[in-house]
Amino acid sequence: MSVAVVTLGCARNEVDSEELAGRLEADGFQLVADPENADTVVVNTCGFVEAAKKDSVDTLLQAADLKGQGHTKAVVAVGCLAERYGKDLAESLPEADAVLGFDDYPDIAARLRSIVAGDKHESHVPSDRRRLLPISPTERSASTVSVPGHSAPDLPAGLAPDSGPRAVRRRLDGGPMAPLKLASGCDRRCSFCAIPSFRGSFVSRRPSDVIQEGSWLATQGVRELFLVSENSTSYGKDLGDLRLLETLLPELAGIDGVDRVRVSYLQPAETRPGLIEAIASTPGVAAYYDLSFQHASATVLRRMRRFGDPESFLGLLEQIRTLAPEAGVRSNVIVGFPGETEDDLQTLCDFLAAARMDVTGVFGYSDEDGTEAETYDGKLDADEVRARTEHVTALVEELNSQRAEDRIGETVDVLVEDISDGVVGRAAHQGPEVDGTTSLVDLSGDVAVGDMVTAEVVGTDGVDLIASRQR
């Protein structure tokens, strides 16, 4: 039986999809890239914000249209949207043959065979997955619940290579970068975010499992390991050592074949000096800081159940740039949060101008089911949220372009990712998918995907760089 796995959303979902693909292939399924050629289509959905939910539903409907046109027999929803809404999603979207939750992942092959055979799957009733683990982080264990992307290394033969590092994972993208999951879940209680309720409490993977999977990825041609989680700064707290990431980074960077390690999603309030230094000074680790500021007004941040203000955030950036002047910094901000005043908005804009970040994602606030902010008063009119979002977006586009221009003359190491229409890759300050790219010109000699090319920045196109290879 053939299966196509379609992935939506973030890099964490990519890891989950590749774990599902590994389990399915090990249990006899044939993986195909094109849903039109698959007996079964598995859509790994995103449930983050309204636009992502709509994209997930649209993708499921498109896959469902394949039934009757070819040999597609079943379309199945998995992932965050499926976990978050479960039975409710199944009832509102009868075009999907089943909605599977995270607890179905270990038996995914059996579930698909049963669905294709015509058996009706009873979808789960959504619940708060934080309640599945103890409140105390040190008492938690991922072995007691199903945590996507946390496959154990002691699995039966057939779920891993006959020799070498074991991994329940099948790469779906052959590129030179691969996400590698550090942890899952989150213990923070940001008032606008529903992710902890369906991803659960924070659980770290054991360092040995992370290193083992990183080593396996290197054998698959991966040259950059992109460390992902909901909150990487919390890594190790449930294992008894909050500084575990600092010791893990040199081990990952030392894996044979790995040229670069990148850390994603740092919580500003938890970003400690030792971690800043480890990222800045460890050979093979990108000086890249993905800091989730979300806003700059102390008043708005308190309503978000977060901490910080312009002074503390700029101080954090100063610490980073003192150690690594050319470090890459990206962030996300939410505009139009309930109660946000014109002064709050100006505080945010002033901070963004002073911060000189490489990329800033701008999101207009919208209510999320089950969050505290959904109950807040002081909601702004949708048109006002849209206008503020457009204003801040225009500002960051200008600021990010200026920051790119500041890099003209810098020497950058570019990981080549595409040579189909010119040579394009990413420098150390550019994260995958969400940041800019670097186009290489004036090349001498052959260049292949996966090569690391040292070049000088000679021009820009928005946030994208143009660089000439150093001879």
Side-chain angles (χ1 to χ4, degrees):
M1 188 179 297
S2 60
V3 59
V5 181
V6 179
T7 307
L8 304 172
C10 65
R12 299 184 293 273
N13 253 17
E14 292 180 34
V15 177
D16 298 349
S17 285
E18 292 191 351
E19 181 185 297
L20 290 174
R23 292 184 181 279
L24 289 167
E25 187 175 58
D27 209 345
F29 277 80
Q30 176 190 0
L31 296 170
V32 296
D34 190 345
E36 293 185 6
N37 299 326
D39 296 314
T40 307
V41 180
V42 175
V43 179
N44 191 353
T45 60
C46 178
F48 179 44
V49 292
E50 201 60 39
K53 297 176 194 174
K54 182 180 183 304
D55 190 25
S56 294
V57 171
D58 288 346
T59 303
L60 285 163
L61 290 174
Q62 290 169 11
D65 286 342
L66 296 175
K67 293 187 294 183
Q69 297 181 22
H71 59 260
T72 300
K73 301 178 179 66
V75 173
V76 176
V78 299
C80 292
L81 189 70
E83 176 61 39
R84 184 176 181 182
Y85 293 104
K87 188 174 182 180
D88 295 336
L89 178 63
E91 291 175 352
S92 63
L93 194 69
E95 292 86 353
D97 295 280
V99 172
L100 305 183
F102 294 154
D103 292 332
D104 293 305
Y105 282 23
D107 300 314
I108 185 68
R111 296 286 189 274
L112 292 196
R113 286 196 173 91
S114 174
I115 293 162
V116 171
D119 297 335
K120 180 174 176 53
H121 177 78
E122 190 65 33
S123 297
H124 65 283
V125 175
S127 63
D128 191 335
R129 292 189 71 84
R130 290 173 291 193
R131 298 174 181 171
L132 300 179
L133 291 169
I135 293 177
S136 172
T138 56
E139 296 178 5
R140 296 174 191 161
S141 171
S143 63
T144 62
V145 296
S146 177
V147 182
H150 283 235
S151 52
D154 54 346
L155 289 153
L159 288 180
D162 292 333
S163 62
R166 302 175 66 81
V168 184
R169 185 169 176 177
R170 164 65 148 75
R171 292 215 68 203
L172 298 174
D173 179 356
M177 182 284 301
L180 174 58
K181 190 170 282 194
L182 281 175
S184 288
C186 185
D187 288 340
R188 303 194 72 87
R189 294 295 183 266
C190 301
S191 63
F192 56 84
C193 184
I195 291 175
S197 66
F198 55 86
R199 276 290 184 178
S201 298
F202 184 88
V203 181
S204 301
R205 296 184 71 192
R206 292 181 299 178
S208 58
D209 292 353
V210 177
I211 293 168
Q212 193 171 63
E213 188 168 325
S215 299
W216 176 79
L217 287 168
T219 68
Q220 305 299 300
V222 171
R223 295 295 169 259
E224 177 178 315
L225 299 175
F226 184 39
L227 306 184
V228 299
S229 71
E230 275 77 22
N231 181 1
S232 297
T233 37
S234 282
Y235 180 71
K237 73 174 185 179
D238 51 325
L239 301 178
D241 185 359
L242 190 54
R243 296 173 295 178
L244 204 53
L245 184 54
E246 288 93 311
T247 59
L248 180 62
L249 288 175
E251 294 191 63
L252 290 170
I255 293 173
D256 187 30
V258 171
D259 294 322
R260 188 156 67 198
V261 176
R262 183 184 305 275
V263 184
S264 72
Y265 205 91
L266 303 174
Q267 166 61 240
E270 297 180 27
T271 303
R272 51 201 175 271
L275 180 56
I276 293 173
E277 183 175 1
I279 293 174
S281 62
T282 303
V285 175
Y288 176 81
Y289 297 83
D290 177 12
L291 295 161
S292 176
F293 289 123
Q294 301 299 355
H295 211 280
S297 164
T299 303
V300 173
L301 286 166
R302 282 195 294 271
R303 285 174 67 84
M304 288 180 168
R305 302 297 183 202
R306 296 175 70 88
F307 304 92
D309 51 46
E311 291 73 23
S312 63
F313 289 166
L314 290 173
L316 178 59
L317 294 175
E318 183 179 1
Q319 292 179 53
I320 290 169
R321 288 168 175 153
T322 297
L323 292 171
E326 297 179 355
V329 180
R330 83 168 324 273
S331 190
N332 296 305
V333 296
I334 297 174
V335 179
F337 192 78
E340 181 190 69
T341 65
E342 291 284 356
D343 287 343
D344 293 327
L345 183 66
Q346 189 59 51
T347 297
L348 173 61
C349 292
D350 291 344
F351 164 72
L352 292 171
R356 293 174 51 248
M357 291 185 285
D358 292 276
V359 174
T360 306
V362 181
F363 295 88
Y365 173 80
S366 61
D367 285 336
E368 281 297 314
D369 297 339
T371 61
E372 182 182 350
E374 186 183 24
T375 68
Y376 283 179
D377 56 12
K379 299 280 178 63
L380 302 181
D381 180 84
D383 290 339
E384 178 64 20
V385 173
R386 187 179 307 108
R388 294 187 182 193
T389 302
E390 290 173 353
H391 173 71
V392 177
T393 298
L395 173 65
V396 299
E397 286 178 352
E398 180 181 351
L399 293 171
N400 295 163
S401 294
Q402 291 173 2
R403 178 64 183 134
E405 291 173 1
D406 291 343
R407 293 192 178 276
I408 293 176
E410 282 187 11
T411 298
V412 292
D413 291 324
V414 180
L415 178 67
V416 176
E417 294 186 312
D418 188 6
I419 57 174
S420 60
D421 185 18
V423 180
V424 180
R426 290 177 296 103
H429 71 280
Q430 296 170 321
E433 304 296 337
V434 292
D435 298 342
T437 60
T438 299
S439 297
L440 294 169
V441 297
D442 300 331
L443 296 177
S444 60
D446 294 331
V447 175
V449 170
D451 286 351
M452 189 72 78
V453 177
T454 301
E456 180 181 336
V457 179
V458 295
T460 66
D461 181 8
V463 297
D464 298 328
L465 303 183
I466 301 167
S468 177
R469 186 173 190 171
Q470 293 187 335
R471 295 175 172 83

